[in-house]
Structure formats: structure tokens, C-alpha cells
Amino acid sequence: MINTKLLSPKAIGPLAPLFRHLKVFALAFAVTFALVAAVVLMLPTKYESEMKLLVNNERQDLVISPQDNKNTVHAQEIAEIRVNSEIELLKSADVLKQVVLKTGLGHEPGTVRAAGAPSPVYLDRAVRSLYRHLEVLPVKKSDIITVSYRAKSPELANAVMTRLADTYLGMHLQAHGTPPGSFHFFEEQANAYSQRLQASEAKLKAFREKYAVFAEPDEKDILTQRAIEAQAALEDADAQAADYRERVIAGKTKIAHLDPRVTAMIHTSPQSQIIGQLTGTLNELQNRRTEMLTKFRADDRFVTELDKEIADTSAAIERAKAQQNVEQSTDINQIRQDAEKNLVTNEVALAGLQARKTRLGALSNVYKTRMVEIAGASTENDRLLREVKEDEDNYLLYSQKREEARIAESLDRQRITNVSLIEAPTMPVEPASPQVPLDLAVGFLLSMLVAFLAVKVVEYMNPQPIVTPSVGGEQTVAASI
């Protein structure tokens, strides 16, 4: 430590070096500020033109695809992706090159524009220069893009922005517009599928005319029901025929043991006629004997002869009464006759049932064959239905695509796109740069900083002692670092 009184305590502090090297500070500040002011005043005047673009999704791009694009991701695109895509298109080399050629930025200074096309080298430089000086920024939380450009004159800045807007909108329409020939392509496809649809419908119609069951939705059920009923009736007829067959066999067996005729009545009677005649004769002879007794005696020859005749007649009557006539009558056997009638009836019924069985069997076979054909034709019917459905879907799809292409081409002719110019390029009046007051204020602060740094450098290179108070009222001097 060195005891000295070179500096007072009041001079110790952060600004002490500034006071010690005030001349250095003033010189550095003056030189820096003069240089900044000179640069600001020497900078060329720039005029800035600005425009704003709105990116929306009101018109979707036509998708050249054999698929329905009703639910594609274009409608749900993220706004940031759309905006960034348009920014890249704005700053694309093709767009900037056309702007350079249309505005004359590609011609070298001192050359005549009408002399010919600019050199490729200078044209490339002009495109890169325009790329660097073109400011394209998206507005946060919106679908708006702000585009600005600075030029030496307000006319040039406005012309560049105007050409950029026209070129960009044309390029956007070319990139997102309808591909050439889209309407013609979809029209050809729609017509082709229309013809295919008509052909497939004709095939299906001819097929269903052959198989009416496919034309009528309930026909298959009706045919199935008829087949079931025919089979049931066939089984019932078969059971009935078996029953009548047994009846016929049993009837024939019974009839073989029955006689055709049977005894109807047996009548036993005496010879009543002869007895009646003899009785009449006997009565007549008795009457004659009575008459003769009135004339003759009982022993007279005429009376005895008459008694003999009476005795013979009485004997003949007794003999006649002793002899009887037996009369026997026969009749048709009614049981056999009824059995024969039943047999004939059963045979007729059996014949009818046999015919019914034959008919029902034929119908059942027809129904079964028909159902087998239907089962086999179902695959063909399903294939034809799928073909008709596929052709119909394709026809409707390409018809819709054709209409979309027609609308898209109409929108292209009207230059209706998803990007619209909501703020036309401005014609600047006041220069955008340099801004002298602001630039000088910044230069002032910069000069202050440079001057302070200069003092720090000088202080570091030439350290000065710093006086500090010590115990007992003495002062100590230390080297300033």
C-alpha cells in the first residue's frame, strides 16, 4: 500500500474512469456518432410497397382420382400448412423470374431494355436479390399473408408488387386449377360407364326373364312353399294308396270264399189243390148218396157203389194229405255283392291315387329341379347385380366428376381461386428507409456505448491508483485495475 493524497474519496465510483478519461470518451462518441450520421445520411432512400393476400378454402382442388372425394382431407387442412404453401409459391424461382423480366430488374444498369434478353448471370443475380429483399410474412392466427418490397422509387416498388401479385395469382391458378382435358376425360369415362351400365342392365333383365324368381322377390318363397306342399301331398297320396292296396287285397281274398247266390226261402206245403178237388168230389158224392137214400135202400147196388166211391175219394184225400210239397228259393249273395262293390270302389280309388302319385311326383321333381337351377343361378344373379351396381357407381362418380370439372373450368375462366388480394399493392409516398430521427437516436446510443467501451479499454491499459480511507483516519492508495 502507498499512502498518498492523489484522489479524493468522492471521485471513487463507477463513473470515476469516465471522469478521468473524459477526453477519450468525448472523442470516441464524436467519431462514432459522426460515422453513424454519415452512414445514415448516405444511405439510399427506399420506398416500401405492401399488399395482403387472404388464403381460404372456399374452392377445393379437383382431384383426378376414380374415388369419391367428398370426405378428403382438403376440407380439414391446417391453415398454417396452406399459408406456408402459398408463401413458398410466392417466393418460388419461377414467379420471381417472371417478375424480374416484366419489371426490367433483370437488365444491367446502363443497358437498353429493348436490346434483348438479359444475361443469365445478371438475371440470376436479380432473382436472388429480389428473393432477399422480398419480405413475405404470415399474420399470426389468421389466413392472411403480408408481402412487402422496398425499391429506390415508389413507382418501381409498386410495379414489382403489382407484377408479383399478377404472376403469383396466375401461378396459383395454374398450380391449383383444373388440369387440361379434365372435363373431356371425365365425360369420356361417364359415357363409357353409361354404355356399360346399359349393357349390364340388359344382361340382368334377360337373365331375370329366364329366371322369373329373381324378378319377383316373393317368387322364390312361393316356389319353395309349392315344393313343400307337393312333397307333403305326394307322401299323403302314397299313404292312401298303400291303404287302398291293402283293402283291395283283403277284398279279393274275402270274395274268393263267398258264394255268388244263397238260399233265400224254404216253403213246405201239402197238395192243397188235389185235396180241394177230391174234397169237392167227396161232398158231391155224399150229396148224391143222400138223394139216393130217399129213393133206394142202403143195401141197394147204386147206394153201395156210391159208398165205395165215397170211400175211395176219402182214401185219396188222406193220401193227398199225407204227401207234402217242399219249395226252396235262392237269391244273390248281398255280402259278396257289397264286397265286390267295395272292391271296385277301392280299385278305382287306388288307380286314382296311383295317377295322383305320378302327377305329384312329377311336380315335386319339377319343383326340385327348379330350385336346384335357382340355387345354381343365384351366383350368376349376384354377379350380375354386382356388375350393375359397380357400373352404376362408376357412372354416377364420373358424372359427378364431370360436373365438378365443368364447374372448375368455369371458375378458372373467371379466375376464382382460394387466394384473394384483399389489399392491393400500395403506392408509397414517404420513404421507408432511412428513418433519420430513429436511426440517429440509435446511433446516439451506439456512440455512447462505443465511447464507454473506449474508456474501459484505456482504463484497463493505464491503471490509476484509488485512494480509500483506512483505520485511524489514514488513507491507503491501491492500484486501479
Side-chain angles (χ1 to χ4, degrees):
M1 293 292 182
I2 301 174
N3 294 325
T4 182
K5 296 182 180 180
L6 293 176
L7 295 176
S8 64
K10 295 181 179 180
I12 298 175
L15 299 180
L18 181 62
F19 288 105
R20 285 195 299 269
H21 305 285
L22 188 58
K23 291 182 179 181
V24 175
F25 178 83
L27 179 60
F29 173 81
V31 172
T32 304
F33 186 75
L35 291 174
V36 171
V39 170
V40 170
L41 296 176
M42 292 176 63
L43 286 175
T45 304
K46 296 287 185 178
Y47 292 87
E48 183 179 73
S49 179
E50 185 181 79
M51 67 177 179
K52 291 183 180 180
L53 301 169
L54 174 64
V55 181
N56 52 49
N57 197 34
E58 295 178 357
R59 175 186 172 183
Q60 295 186 5
D61 296 338
L62 180 65
V63 180
I64 308 298
S65 170
Q67 297 179 354
D68 193 356
N69 58 322
K70 291 181 179 179
N71 296 321
T72 56
V73 297
H74 295 80
Q76 293 85 21
E77 265 189 350
I78 302 175
E80 183 179 357
I81 297 177
R82 296 201 309 269
V83 171
N84 291 336
S85 300
E86 300 304 326
I87 290 176
E88 291 300 322
L89 182 60
L90 264 169
K91 300 177 70 175
S92 63
D94 291 339
V95 173
L96 298 182
K97 183 178 180 180
Q98 294 186 33
V99 173
V100 168
L101 293 175
K102 291 178 181 179
T103 56
L105 294 177
H107 293 273
E108 299 181 30
T111 60
V112 182
R113 294 181 57 182
S119 64
V121 176
Y122 195 81
L123 178 61
D124 183 65
R125 292 177 181 175
V127 171
R128 285 184 291 172
S129 176
L130 178 59
Y131 181 86
R132 291 192 304 269
H133 292 87
L134 188 65
E135 187 175 3
V136 182
L137 297 175
V139 179
K140 292 183 179 180
K141 297 182 180 180
S142 69
D143 294 336
I144 298 177
I145 300 174
T146 301
V147 186
S148 60
Y149 175 74
R150 293 185 179 185
K152 296 179 180 180
S153 65
E155 293 79 8
L156 180 59
N158 180 263
V160 169
M161 294 300 293
T162 302
R163 294 297 184 184
L164 178 63
D166 294 339
T167 305
Y168 160 71
L169 292 176
M171 190 67 70
H172 173 84
L173 182 62
Q174 181 180 353
H176 297 277
T178 307
S182 299
F183 177 77
H184 181 67
F185 168 75
F186 287 124
E187 186 176 22
E188 287 182 348
Q189 294 297 318
N191 293 334
Y193 277 107
S194 175
Q195 296 176 359
R196 290 183 59 176
L197 178 60
Q198 293 177 1
S200 59
E201 286 178 343
K203 290 181 182 179
L204 181 61
K205 180 180 179 182
F207 178 81
R208 289 192 169 182
E209 287 177 353
K210 181 179 179 181
Y211 297 94
V213 66
F214 295 108
E216 297 293 336
D218 298 333
E219 187 70 20
K220 187 175 181 180
D221 296 336
I222 295 175
L223 182 62
T224 304
Q225 184 65 27
R226 288 179 178 178
I228 295 174
E229 292 175 354
Q231 184 64 29
L234 178 61
E235 294 175 356
D236 183 65
D238 186 53
Q240 291 182 10
D243 179 53
Y244 279 102
R245 194 178 298 111
E246 293 296 330
R247 290 186 181 185
V248 169
I249 294 173
K252 288 181 179 180
T253 303
K254 294 294 183 182
I255 289 174
H257 294 83
L258 293 175
D259 294 329
R261 301 184 68 82
V262 294
T263 300
M265 181 179 61
I266 298 176
H267 179 68
T268 302
S269 64
Q271 298 180 356
S272 57
Q273 185 177 1
I274 295 174
I275 293 173
Q277 292 177 358
L278 291 174
T279 302
T281 302
L282 180 60
N283 291 330
E284 184 179 356
L285 289 174
Q286 289 176 353
N287 291 329
R288 284 175 60 187
R289 181 177 180 276
T290 300
E291 289 178 1
M292 288 181 68
L293 288 177
T294 60
K295 294 177 178 182
F296 300 98
R297 289 191 301 249
D299 58 353
D300 189 63
R301 181 179 57 83
F302 291 104
V303 175
T304 56
E305 291 180 356
L306 188 58
D307 290 335
K308 185 179 180 181
E309 290 181 2
I310 292 172
D312 292 339
T313 303
S314 297
I317 291 173
E318 293 299 329
R319 288 195 300 272
K321 289 182 178 180
Q323 296 178 357
Q324 294 182 353
N325 291 329
V326 179
E327 295 180 359
Q328 183 177 359
S329 62
T330 62
D331 198 357
I332 297 174
N333 192 346
Q334 190 66 36
I335 296 176
R336 177 167 178 161
Q337 189 176 19
D338 293 341
E340 289 176 349
K341 288 181 180 180
N342 292 334
L343 177 62
V344 172
T345 302
N346 292 334
E347 287 179 344
V348 172
L350 179 60
L353 287 174
Q354 292 292 348
R356 179 179 173 84
K357 280 180 59 180
T358 303
R359 178 57 180 168
L360 289 174
L363 286 176
S364 180
N365 292 332
V366 169
Y367 290 144
K368 290 180 180 179
T369 303
R370 185 69 171 171
M371 292 181 67
V372 171
E373 292 178 356
I374 290 172
S378 296
T379 303
E380 180 66 15
N381 180 72
D382 294 341
R383 187 189 68 80
L384 291 175
L385 283 175
R386 289 194 302 269
E387 184 178 347
V388 171
K389 184 65 169 60
E390 180 181 359
D391 293 338
E392 182 181 8
D393 292 342
N394 289 330
Y395 170 70
L396 294 176
L397 173 62
Y398 282 104
S399 297
Q400 178 186 355
K401 293 282 188 178
R402 177 181 58 188
E403 184 64 18
E404 291 177 359
R406 185 190 65 80
I407 296 174
E409 289 184 358
S410 300
L411 293 175
D412 290 344
R413 286 192 295 268
Q414 298 295 328
R415 298 182 65 86
I416 299 176
T417 64
N418 282 334
V419 177
S420 56
L421 188 64
I422 59 174
E423 182 177 313
T426 59
M427 177 65 74
V429 178
E430 297 292 334
S433 65
Q435 297 181 2
V436 178
L438 180 61
D439 293 341
L440 290 179
V442 174
F444 177 81
L445 296 177
L446 179 62
S447 301
M448 293 287 290
L449 179 61
V450 171
F452 185 76
L453 291 176
V455 170
K456 295 293 289 183
V457 171
V458 172
E459 184 72 12
Y460 179 78
M461 295 178 64
N462 299 302
Q464 297 293 331
I466 299 175
V467 179
T468 59
S470 61
V471 181
E474 296 182 354
Q475 293 182 340
T476 59
V477 179
S480 176
I481 299 176

